Amino acid sequence: MSDFNTNFWSVYVAGLTVIGILACLLLLWITARKKVVPQADNTTGHVWDDDLREMNNPMPRWWMWLFVFTIVFGLLYLVAYPGLGSYQGELKWSTRGEYDTDMDKAAKELAPLYAQFTARKTEELVGDANAMAIGERLFMNNCAQCHGSDARGTKGFPNLADADWLHGGTPDKIKETVTGGRRGQMPPMAAAVGTPDDVKNVANYVLSLSNSPHDSLRAQLGKAKFTACAACHGIDGKGNQAVGAPNLTDDIWLHGWGEQAIINMVNNGKVNEMPAQQGKLTDAQIHVLASYVWGLSNKPTAAKP
C-alpha cells in the first residue's frame, strides 16, 4: 500500500495516456509514408478465397483528417480537464465541484419552498400536510435505506415510529441527531462481568427487567454482576439518553432478543453509527425532516390558518 502514498501511480497513469496518444500519431505517420507497389491491376497482390483481392486504393482524406482531429482534441482535452494522473487541468473541473454546484443551484431554487417552514415549530409542521409530504420524501431519499419505508426499522436500526429513543425524542434532540449523526458503542463487557456462567446470569437478569421469559434463579445470581453494566444503563436498567444507552426494561430489543443474543452482546460489544446529514441537507430540510420523524410517534397539532 506504500505505493499509493507517492506520485508513482499518478505518473504511471499520465505516462500511459500520453504514450497511447503519441502511438496513434506515430501509427498515422507510418501508414502515411508506407508505399505499396501496386500490381498492373491496382491490387496489392493479396488474394483470399481464390477471388477476393485487396485493392491499393488510398485511404480517404476525410478519414485521415478525422483521425488527426481526434488526436488534437484528446491533447486539448487533457490540458483543460483532469486525465493525466493527479493533474487537475486548467479548468480545475471535478465531479465534486460539479456536484456542489448542482446542489447549490437546487438549494437556491428550493429556498422559497422551505422558507415557509423554517420559522414554524415542529408541533405546527406536523399538522401541515404539505410539510409532511415533503418530509416524507426527504425521509424516503435519505433515511428509509436503514430505517425502512415505514420507519419501523429492523435489527440494528431503530424503530422511529414508537416512543423509545436512545438519545431523546424531543424535536431538538431529533434535529441534533439528524444534523450531526450518532455513534453508539458498547464495549465487550465479559471480562468485567466475570466468568461465562456470570455472563449467562447477567443475560437472564436483563431479561427479567422487562418481564421477558428467563431463568429466575440465574437472574437473582446475575443481579450483583449487573453493576458492571450500570454505569451506562443505570442501576435500574432504564438506560441513559445522554450516552445513548438503551432502556433494558421496555422489552424493545435493537440487536435481537433472547438469552443468546444478550450473551453475544456482552461478550462482543456493538458499534452502531448513523451518518450526519449536515452538508448533505440544508438546515431547512433538516428541520422539516426532523419534524416528520417526530410526528411519526406524536399526534399532530392543528395547523394555524
Side-chain angles (χ1 to χ4, degrees):
M1 294 298 291
S2 61
D3 289 342
F4 291 93
N5 297 324
T6 69
N7 290 328
F8 171 77
W9 290 110
S10 174
V11 175
Y12 176 76
V13 171
L16 284 181
T17 304
V18 173
I19 290 173
I21 292 178
L22 294 180
C24 291
L25 189 61
L26 179 63
L27 175 64
L28 183 63
W29 180 76
I30 291 175
T31 55
R33 289 179 58 86
K34 185 176 180 180
K35 302 297 182 181
V36 177
V37 180
Q39 303 290 328
D41 59 355
N42 195 36
T43 65
T44 63
H46 297 157
V47 181
W48 296 272
D49 296 334
D50 295 329
D51 60 353
L52 186 61
R53 299 176 182 275
E54 180 181 6
M55 302 301 292
N56 190 39
N57 295 325
M59 184 183 299
R61 285 288 178 181
W62 68 264
W63 189 95
M64 185 190 70
W65 286 113
L66 182 61
F67 200 176
V68 172
F69 172 79
T70 302
I71 294 174
V72 173
F73 175 82
L75 293 173
L76 293 176
Y77 182 91
L78 291 175
V79 171
Y81 293 95
L84 295 175
S86 60
Y87 175 65
Q88 296 181 351
E90 291 300 312
L91 298 181
K92 306 299 181 185
W93 181 91
S94 68
T95 53
R96 180 66 193 185
E98 187 80 3
Y99 171 80
D100 290 340
T101 300
D102 289 344
M103 292 301 292
D104 290 342
K105 180 181 177 181
K108 290 179 181 178
E109 292 176 350
L110 293 173
L113 173 65
Y114 286 100
Q116 59 183 311
F117 304 132
T118 53
R120 297 168 61 185
K121 293 182 179 180
T122 293
E123 294 81 356
E124 294 179 16
L125 288 184
V126 172
D128 187 321
N130 187 31
M132 290 300 95
I134 296 174
E136 182 181 21
R137 286 297 94 202
L138 290 171
F139 182 87
M140 291 297 182
N141 291 335
N142 300 279
C143 313
Q145 296 87 342
C146 294
H147 296 283
S149 59
D150 60 357
R152 295 188 179 278
T154 185
K155 186 177 180 180
F157 300 99
N159 180 354
L160 304 179
D162 60 13
D164 185 66
W165 298 94
L166 291 176
H167 296 276
T170 64
D172 288 340
K173 275 296 180 181
I174 296 175
K175 189 180 297 185
E176 179 184 305
T177 298
V178 174
T179 302
R182 295 290 185 186
R183 182 177 175 83
Q185 181 171 2
M186 173 178 167
M189 297 297 294
V193 171
T195 66
D197 204 49
D198 290 330
V199 172
K200 192 170 185 177
N201 292 339
V202 166
N204 277 274
Y205 175 71
V206 170
L207 288 170
S208 73
L209 294 174
S210 57
N211 293 319
S212 300
H214 63 279
D215 185 321
S216 57
L217 180 58
R218 283 190 174 277
Q220 291 178 10
L221 295 174
K223 183 176 182 179
K225 294 294 183 177
F226 183 76
T227 54
C229 313
C232 293
H233 294 283
I235 196 65
D236 56 0
K238 291 187 177 181
N240 184 352
Q241 291 183 349
V243 295
N247 181 354
L248 304 178
T249 68
D250 57 9
D251 199 25
I252 296 176
W253 306 94
L254 181 58
H255 297 285
W257 172 87
E259 180 185 271
Q260 191 57 50
I262 299 174
I263 289 175
N264 292 338
M265 184 69 70
V266 175
N267 287 336
N268 305 320
K270 182 67 68 174
V271 176
N272 254 25
E273 184 168 2
M274 172 184 163
Q277 300 300 309
Q278 188 175 37
K280 183 179 180 181
L281 300 177
T282 65
D283 291 341
Q285 289 175 321
I286 290 176
H287 178 57
V288 175
L289 175 57
S291 299
Y292 172 77
V293 173
W294 183 84
L296 293 172
S297 55
N298 293 273
K299 294 182 179 180
T301 301
K304 292 182 178 180

